[in-house]
Structure formats: structure tokens, C-alpha cells
Amino acid sequence: MVCVSDAAFDEFSYLPAQADALGIPVPPVRRLTHRLGDGRVISALRFGDSGSAPPVTFLHGAGLNAHTWDTTVLHLGLDALVLDLPGHGDSSWRDDARYTGRTLAADIEPAIREWTGGVPQVLVGHSLGGLTAAALAARHPDLVRSLVLVDISPGIDPDGAASSIRAFFAGPVDWASRDELVERALSFGLGGSRDAAARGVSLNSRVRPDGRVEWKHHFAHLANRLAADPAGAAAVDEAQRANAGILSAAGWDDLAAVTAPVTLVTGTRGFLTDADRDEFLRRMPRTRRIELDSAHNVQEERPAELAASIRTAHDDR
């Protein structure tokens, strides 16, 4: 798909086919915007229009955006709030590029509080969104009645292998068309089918005023910059290794402070090893554990089964 302007692109244009495949009507959906005190924007999708607060809030992983949850939300059949994390989608980038669970939780808390009216949520977080969800639940227990973590545990790098991400995003910072981005994704074995890759690229990129196409999320631009600076990339890798223990400890501290019920959903081919799963359950013995036949992006590979797990967390009172 070649675009010269995003004015003609409807971000919800894929939903009718997705809903039709499930045999359900397309739910009402709109985009919301919350402006933070420093001028940055938090953006989200609001599915449903029941007139009451949504019961479920979703947080995506690094390099993704709110639309990664579309099919899961359709399967779930509940009103939902689906955020673009800072640095992703239509939410503002952070000038300091600090995309950690606690930093992001502080950014999104006022937006969630506004959009939900303070009604406690089933909070679902994938990867980086899961670490963010745990931090939010620890600091604002009044906003979270149940926590669902998807293929993440403290100590696991939510960005995956940094070198592989940099390899994918190395090269031009902008492109002539989205078709070029689709070809690049497929050449790296990403996106699955061509149709799926085209959908993912369309929803995770934007057309600039000059007609060139760029990725929406900040991570791509940071990775591109590092790809041209091997010394800088090595320094970043070293800093990440040095901070890994600190971030892991912070994540476990957050989980230890969570008072809401916790569900851990893992993929059989996801980021967590058997040792990681065992460590999680040792530290959090009351956790409901669910494993699905999936790689890391469970919400895209097993949306129906994941939705069923979330529905169980919702229905438990």
C-alpha cells in the first residue's frame, strides 16, 4: 500500500474484516487524547460506548502500539481502554528516552484515571507494558482490581535482543512508501503473512508532511541512530547490562507490592525460560499461570485464548 498522506488512511479500516471473521459486529471505537502537565500527549483507543467506565485496560509491548490488541479486544467483547505507551503510536516521545516500567507508569496514571473515572481495572500488560502495569498496580492499587501479565517477568529484557532490533531498524530513517517497510519486515521474517505485515506496518508508521514514511515509535529512531554509531551502541549495551540488575530488582519490588490478583500468561516459544517461570511462581505463589502455544506476541498469535484468560480475570470477583 503506497500513501502520500495519512489524511486518507483510516486506522480503523481493518476492524470490519477482523470482526466479520469472528462473526461479530464492529464495536464503536474512537481515539482519546490526554495532555500531561509538561505538554506531552498520551493517546488511547476506547472500544465500546456503554456509557459506563471500561472494565479493562491494555498496555502493549516495546515497538508496538494499541492496535496490537485489536483482535484480542474483539474476542473479549467488553468495553476496553487501549493505550499507546509514551514513545509509541500517537503518544508523545520522551526527550530522555527513559522507557522503563516505573517511568511509563507515572506518565500514564493520570490519563487512565481520567478515562476510567478511577474505576478499578483489569489491567493487561504485554512485555514492557506488563512491567509498566506492575509498577502502576504497585503505586496506585485503587486503579487495579486484577493484573494480567503477558509473557514478561522482571529480569527479562522487554526489548528482546537489542542487536537484532538495531539490525532491523538500521538503514534509512524514512522511506518512500509503506510497501518498502513491508518488504523489509518480511525479509527479516517479521509480520507473518504479507497481509499481516502490511496491517502492522500501516498501523505502526506515519506519513510525514514531506510525503516520506517513518516508524511511529521512538525505539526505531533510537536504534537507527545507534546503528550508525558502533561505539555509542556498545556504550548503550554496557549501560543496559549494568542497569539490568537494578531494573530487575525494581520489577520484583513492584510485584511484591501488588495487592490485586495476578495472572501470568506465557508463550511456549516466548521470552520466559522454564527457570524464569519457576522463579516467578516461587516469588508470587498465588499467581494464576496460563501457557499458550505462542511466541512472544501472544495477543497476535493466540488472541481468542488470551481473551478467554482475561475474561476469567474479569469475571472473578
Side-chain angles (χ1 to χ4, degrees):
M1 178 177 66
V2 179
C3 296
V4 296
S5 169
D6 267 354
F9 176 64
D10 176 7
E11 66 175 313
F12 304 121
S13 60
Y14 295 95
L15 285 176
Q18 291 172 280
D20 184 65
L22 301 181
I24 62 173
V26 180
V29 58
R30 65 188 188 278
R31 185 163 284 280
L32 306 176
T33 300
H34 174 94
R35 190 168 296 277
L36 298 174
D38 60 8
R40 287 182 297 130
V41 164
I42 303 297
S43 188
L45 305 179
R46 173 64 162 90
F47 283 83
D49 193 19
S50 65
S52 58
V56 186
T57 292
F58 292 86
L59 307 178
H60 62 76
L64 300 174
N65 60 72
H67 285 290
T68 191
W69 297 106
D70 284 355
T71 309
T72 302
V73 173
L74 291 178
H75 276 289
L76 183 62
L78 297 172
D79 285 8
L81 178 65
V82 192
L83 271 70
D84 282 334
L85 290 177
H88 299 76
D90 287 355
S91 292
S92 299
W93 297 356
R94 289 186 60 91
D95 290 340
D96 61 7
R98 285 187 57 81
Y99 297 111
T100 65
R102 289 184 176 182
T103 302
L104 297 179
D107 278 347
I108 65 175
E109 179 270 330
I112 291 177
R113 193 173 294 278
E114 175 192 340
W115 291 327
T116 64
V119 173
Q121 297 289 292
V122 176
L123 185 60
V124 184
H126 168 246
S127 199
L128 177 60
L131 299 178
T132 303
L136 184 70
R139 283 158 184 73
H140 302 282
D142 61 307
L143 286 180
V144 181
R145 71 174 182 88
S146 187
L147 179 63
V148 181
L149 304 179
V150 182
D151 209 58
I152 195 63
S153 174
I156 302 297
D157 180 4
D159 304 339
S163 60
S164 65
I165 289 178
R166 283 203 291 271
F168 176 61
F169 290 118
V173 295
D174 53 70
W175 307 75
S177 71
R178 285 184 167 119
D179 281 339
E180 292 185 355
L181 288 177
V182 171
E183 292 298 333
R184 184 166 181 82
L186 292 173
S187 72
F188 274 76
L190 303 174
S193 68
R194 179 171 293 276
D195 286 347
R199 175 184 177 275
V201 163
S202 295
L203 294 170
N204 212 14
S205 63
R206 60 182 160 222
V207 180
R208 301 187 321 206
D210 63 2
R212 301 288 290 180
V213 177
E214 66 177 6
W215 294 108
K216 282 186 173 184
H217 59 87
H218 199 185
F219 283 16
H221 300 259
L222 296 171
N224 180 276
R225 189 183 312 160
L226 290 175
D229 180 9
V236 168
D237 286 342
E238 180 59 32
Q240 288 178 334
R241 284 191 291 270
N243 289 329
I246 297 172
L247 292 176
S248 177
W252 287 121
D253 287 346
D254 288 340
L255 279 174
V258 172
T259 57
V262 176
T263 299
L264 175 65
V265 181
T266 59
T268 54
R269 292 167 281 111
F271 280 4
L272 276 69
T273 65
D274 289 341
D276 294 325
R277 297 180 183 93
D278 291 345
E279 176 69 2
F280 193 103
L281 295 176
R282 183 185 71 80
R283 290 176 179 258
M284 304 287 293
R286 293 189 174 184
T287 298
R288 175 190 286 123
R289 161 85 189 291
I290 298 168
E291 185 164 271
L292 300 175
D293 182 15
S294 173
H296 181 55
N297 290 351
V298 181
Q299 71 280 5
E300 296 178 358
E301 292 193 35
R302 290 289 182 266
E305 295 93 330
L306 179 57
S309 301
I310 296 167
R311 188 68 187 233
T312 297
H314 169 270
D315 291 347
D316 285 350
R317 296 288 182 175

